[in-house]
Coordinates of all heavy atoms in Angstrom, one line a residue:
H31 N 105.3 64.3 96.5 CA 105.8 64.8 95.2 C 104.9 65.9 94.6 O 105.4 66.8 94.1 CB 106.0 63.6 94.2 CG 106.5 64.0 92.9 ND1 107.7 64.4 92.7 CD2 105.9 64.1 91.7 CE1 107.9 64.7 91.5 NE2 106.8 64.6 90.8
R37 N 104.9 73.5 95.3 CA 105.8 74.5 95.8 C 106.8 75.0 94.7 O 107.0 76.3 94.7 CB 106.5 74.1 97.1 CG 105.7 73.9 98.3 CD 106.6 73.7 99.5 NE 107.5 72.5 99.4 CZ 107.1 71.3 100.0 NH1 105.9 71.2 100.6 NH2 107.8 70.3 99.8
M44 N 106.3 82.9 91.0 CA 106.7 84.2 91.7 C 107.9 84.8 91.0 O 108.0 86.0 90.9 CB 107.1 83.9 93.2 CG 105.9 83.5 94.1 SD 106.4 83.2 95.7 CE 107.2 84.7 96.2
V58 N 97.6 110.1 92.8 CA 97.4 111.2 93.7 C 97.4 112.5 92.8 O 96.4 113.3 93.0 CB 98.5 111.3 94.8 CG1 98.3 112.6 95.6 CG2 98.3 110.1 95.7
W63 N 93.8 116.8 90.6 CA 93.2 117.6 89.5 C 91.7 117.5 89.5 O 90.9 118.4 89.2 CB 93.8 117.0 88.2 CG 93.4 117.9 87.0 CD1 94.1 118.9 86.5 CD2 92.3 117.6 86.2 NE1 93.4 119.4 85.4 CE2 92.3 118.6 85.2 CE3 91.3 116.7 86.2 CZ2 91.4 118.7 84.2 CZ3 90.2 116.8 85.2 CH2 90.3 117.8 84.2
F72 N 81.7 123.3 90.1 CA 80.6 123.7 91.0 C 80.5 125.3 90.9 O 79.3 125.7 91.0 CB 81.0 123.3 92.4 CG 79.9 123.6 93.4 CD1 78.7 123.1 93.5 CD2 80.2 124.7 94.4 CE1 77.8 123.4 94.5 CE2 79.3 125.1 95.3 CZ 78.1 124.5 95.4
K91 N 79.5 141.5 72.8 CA 79.3 141.4 71.4 C 80.5 140.9 70.6 O 80.3 140.5 69.5 CB 78.9 142.8 70.9 CG 77.7 143.4 71.6 CD 76.4 142.6 71.5 CE 75.3 143.3 72.3 NZ 74.1 142.5 72.2
L129 N 111.4 97.4 93.6 CA 112.2 96.2 93.2 C 113.6 96.4 93.4 O 114.4 95.5 93.8 CB 112.0 96.1 91.7 CG 110.6 95.6 91.3 CD1 110.4 95.6 89.7 CD2 110.4 94.2 91.8
E142 N 114.9 97.0 74.8 CA 114.4 98.3 75.4 C 114.1 98.1 76.9 O 113.7 99.0 77.6 CB 113.1 98.8 74.7 CG 113.3 99.2 73.3 CD 114.2 100.3 73.1 OE1 114.3 101.2 74.0 OE2 114.9 100.4 72.1
G150 N 115.2 88.9 92.3 CA 114.6 87.7 91.8 C 115.4 87.3 90.6 O 116.4 87.9 90.2
G152 N 116.0 87.4 87.1 CA 115.7 88.0 85.9 C 114.4 88.8 85.9 O 113.5 88.7 85.2
T182 N 124.9 113.8 85.4 CA 124.3 115.2 85.5 C 123.7 115.5 84.1 O 122.6 116.0 84.1 CB 125.4 116.2 85.8 OG1 126.0 115.9 87.1 CG2 124.9 117.6 85.8
A223 N 83.9 155.3 71.0 CA 83.6 155.7 69.6 C 82.4 156.5 69.5 O 82.5 157.5 68.7 CB 83.4 154.4 68.9
V225 N 81.5 159.0 71.3 CA 81.7 160.3 71.8 C 82.0 161.3 70.7 O 81.7 162.5 70.8 CB 82.8 160.3 73.0 CG1 83.2 161.7 73.4 CG2 82.5 159.3 74.0
M240 N 74.9 156.8 75.1 CA 75.0 156.2 76.4 C 74.8 154.6 76.3 O 75.5 153.9 77.0 CB 74.1 156.8 77.4 CG 74.3 158.3 77.6 SD 75.9 158.5 78.4 CE 75.6 157.6 80.0
G246 N 80.1 148.9 75.4 CA 81.6 148.9 75.3 C 82.1 148.6 76.8 O 83.1 147.8 76.9
T266 N 96.9 127.4 88.3 CA 96.7 126.5 89.4 C 96.8 125.0 89.0 O 97.5 124.2 89.6 CB 95.4 126.7 90.2 OG1 95.3 128.0 90.5 CG2 95.3 125.7 91.4
L285 N 116.8 107.6 93.4 CA 116.8 106.1 93.1 C 118.1 105.8 92.4 O 118.8 104.8 92.8 CB 115.5 105.7 92.3 CG 115.4 104.2 92.1 CD1 115.2 103.4 93.3 CD2 114.2 104.0 91.2
L293 N 126.1 101.2 92.4 CA 126.4 99.8 92.0 C 127.2 99.7 90.8 O 128.1 98.9 90.6 CB 125.0 99.1 91.8 CG 125.1 97.6 91.4 CD1 125.8 96.9 92.5 CD2 123.7 97.0 91.2
D299 N 132.7 96.0 85.7 CA 132.9 95.0 84.6 C 131.7 94.0 84.4 O 131.0 93.8 85.4 CB 134.1 94.1 84.9 CG 135.4 95.0 84.9 OD1 135.4 96.0 84.2 OD2 136.3 94.6 85.7
Q301 N 128.7 94.5 82.9 CA 127.4 95.0 83.1 C 126.4 94.7 82.0 O 125.2 94.7 82.2 CB 127.4 96.6 83.3 CG 128.3 97.0 84.5 CD 127.7 96.5 85.8 OE1 126.5 96.3 85.9 NE2 128.6 96.2 86.8

Side-chain angles (χ1 to χ4, degrees):
H31 178 72
R37 286 195 298 269
M44 290 177 62
V58 174
W63 186 92
F72 179 73
K91 306 298 182 180
L129 291 174
E142 297 295 329
T182 303
V225 177
M240 293 298 294
T266 305
L285 185 64
L293 182 62
D299 299 330
Q301 298 298 328

